[in-house]
Amino acid sequence: MHASGQRLAAFFATVAPAWALMGPAAAQTPHPWQIGMQNAGSPVQEKIASLNYGVTVVIVVITIFVAFLLLYVLRRFSAARNPVPSQVSHNATLEVAWTLIPVLILLGIWIPSNRLVYFEDHTTAADMTIKVVGHQWYWEYQYPDQGGMHFDSYMVTEDQLSPAQKAAHMRNLAVDNQLVVPAGKNIRILTTSGDVIHSFFIPSLGVQRYAIPGRTIETWVNVNVPGDYYGECNQICGMNHSLMPISIHALSPEDFATWLTQAKTKFSMAQPAPSAQLALASEH
C-alpha cells in the first residue's frame, strides 16, 4: 500500500499541472465545464496553485488509505470470520500513531499555507501603487503616484460586446475602462469602499482583498506577462452585485508609459455622472 500511495502521489504531481495548463495559454477567463484553476498569471497565484495541488494529493492518498482500511476491517473482522469478537480495547502504540501522524500531516500543510499568507500580504519593494475603491456598483481606480489620476470602471451592456468578446464568453466581464498596469512590476494594491463591503477578486492573479468602508487593506500583484485578466466583486454588496466585473489590462513597461501619457489627458476630462451609469446597469 505504501508503494501504491507513492506512485499515486507521483502521478498527480505530474498530471495535475498539465490539467491546469490545458487550453489557450492566453485565456484568463473561466471556461464552460472547467474543473481546474485558471492559468496562473502572477507569482502569488503560482504558489496558490502549487499548494492546492499538493493538498489535493494528500487528500487523495488519505482517502484511498482510509477506504482500504475500511474494506480490510469489513472483511477481516466480519461476523463470519470472527464469531467470537475480540475484547481488545486499548493499544498504546496504535493510539499514539493515529494521533501523531495526522498532527504531522496538518503541520506539513500549515507551514506552506502560513508562508503563502505572508507572501501575498504585501510587497516591500513596490514599483507603483494603485488604490481600488468599491462602489455600488462599479469600481474606482486611483493612481496616487501619477498625480492622483483616477477613473471609474463600469460593466458594459451585452449589446455593446464585440463578436470576439461574445465568442470568448465575456458577458458580465467586459468594462468600459480597464485597470491598466505594467507587467513584470510589483504593484501595491490598496482597497477600500465608499459605501458597503465589496471584495476585489482576480482568480488568475491570486488577488482577493475586501474593500471595507473606513479601512484601507493592502495586497500586491506582479503580472507575469501582458494580457487581459478578469475577476468579479466577491462579496454580496446589494441588488447589482453581479454587475461589478474587474478587468485588468497588463502592458509592457514601455507601452504602459505611452498609455499613461494618453490616460492623463483622457481622464482629466469630466467623468460621466454615476447616476447615468447606474441607470444603464439597472436595465440588466
Side-chain angles (χ1 to χ4, degrees):
M1 180 62 192
H2 178 67
S4 299
Q6 287 182 329
R7 286 195 295 269
L8 183 65
F11 170 78
F12 274 94
T14 302
V15 176
W19 287 342
L21 295 177
M22 292 178 64
Q28 300 299 338
T29 59
H31 303 286
W33 300 100
Q34 180 175 350
I35 297 176
M37 293 183 173
Q38 296 178 34
N39 297 339
S42 72
V44 170
Q45 181 58 24
E46 288 173 355
K47 290 182 179 294
I48 292 174
S50 177
L51 178 63
N52 177 72
Y53 295 134
V55 173
T56 299
V57 170
V58 172
I59 292 172
V60 169
V61 172
I62 291 175
T63 301
I64 293 175
F65 177 69
V66 172
F68 171 81
L69 288 181
L70 287 173
L71 293 174
Y72 174 78
V73 169
L74 287 173
R75 184 176 185 277
R76 174 66 178 80
F77 299 102
S78 64
R81 288 174 172 266
N82 297 272
V84 180
S86 171
Q87 299 299 314
V88 177
S89 61
H90 181 75
N91 187 311
T93 302
L94 186 59
E95 291 187 8
V96 169
W98 69 38
T99 300
L100 184 59
I101 291 175
V103 169
L104 294 176
I105 293 174
L106 290 176
L107 281 175
I109 296 174
W110 174 79
I111 291 174
S113 300
N114 194 54
R115 288 176 177 173
L116 178 57
V117 168
Y118 281 94
F119 179 71
E120 66 185 34
D121 182 53
H122 69 281
T123 176
T124 56
D127 296 301
M128 67 176 295
T129 298
I130 290 177
K131 186 174 182 179
V132 178
V133 184
H135 298 277
Q136 291 178 308
W137 288 272
Y138 64 98
W139 296 100
E140 177 187 352
Y141 300 126
Q142 302 177 7
Y143 292 71
D145 301 336
Q146 311 301 330
M149 182 186 75
H150 67 95
F151 55 87
D152 298 335
S153 178
Y154 293 86
M155 188 189 79
V156 299
T157 59
E158 188 171 359
D159 59 345
Q160 293 175 309
L161 296 177
S162 67
Q165 289 176 321
K166 292 180 179 179
H169 307 285
M170 296 301 299
R171 178 178 175 271
N172 287 359
L173 285 178
V175 299
D176 55 356
N177 295 314
Q178 292 180 292
L179 172 60
V180 181
V181 300
K185 301 292 184 180
N186 290 340
I187 302 169
R188 178 185 292 114
I189 299 175
L190 304 176
T191 62
T192 188
S193 172
D195 36 55
V196 300
I197 297 177
H198 302 276
S199 180
F200 191 67
F201 178 43
I202 307 97
S204 59
L205 297 181
V207 173
Q208 182 173 11
R209 279 294 186 271
Y210 282 113
I212 301 175
R215 291 186 59 186
T216 300
I217 303 176
E218 182 177 343
T219 187
W220 70 285
V221 70
N222 186 318
V223 184
N224 290 339
V225 296
D228 294 315
Y229 303 83
Y230 299 91
E232 294 273 3
C233 176
N234 200 34
Q235 175 71 26
I236 296 177
C237 56
M239 179 178 66
N240 288 333
H241 159 66
S242 62
L243 308 182
M244 287 186 65
I246 301 163
S247 180
I248 295 181
H249 187 50
L251 298 171
S252 67
E254 297 76 17
D255 290 340
F256 177 77
T258 301
W259 172 85
L260 194 59
T261 301
Q262 299 170 348
K264 287 181 178 179
T265 301
K266 174 182 177 181
F267 295 114
S268 64
M269 297 182 294
Q271 296 272 339
S275 58
Q277 293 286 0
L278 287 177
L280 179 66
S282 64
E283 296 177 3
H284 289 72

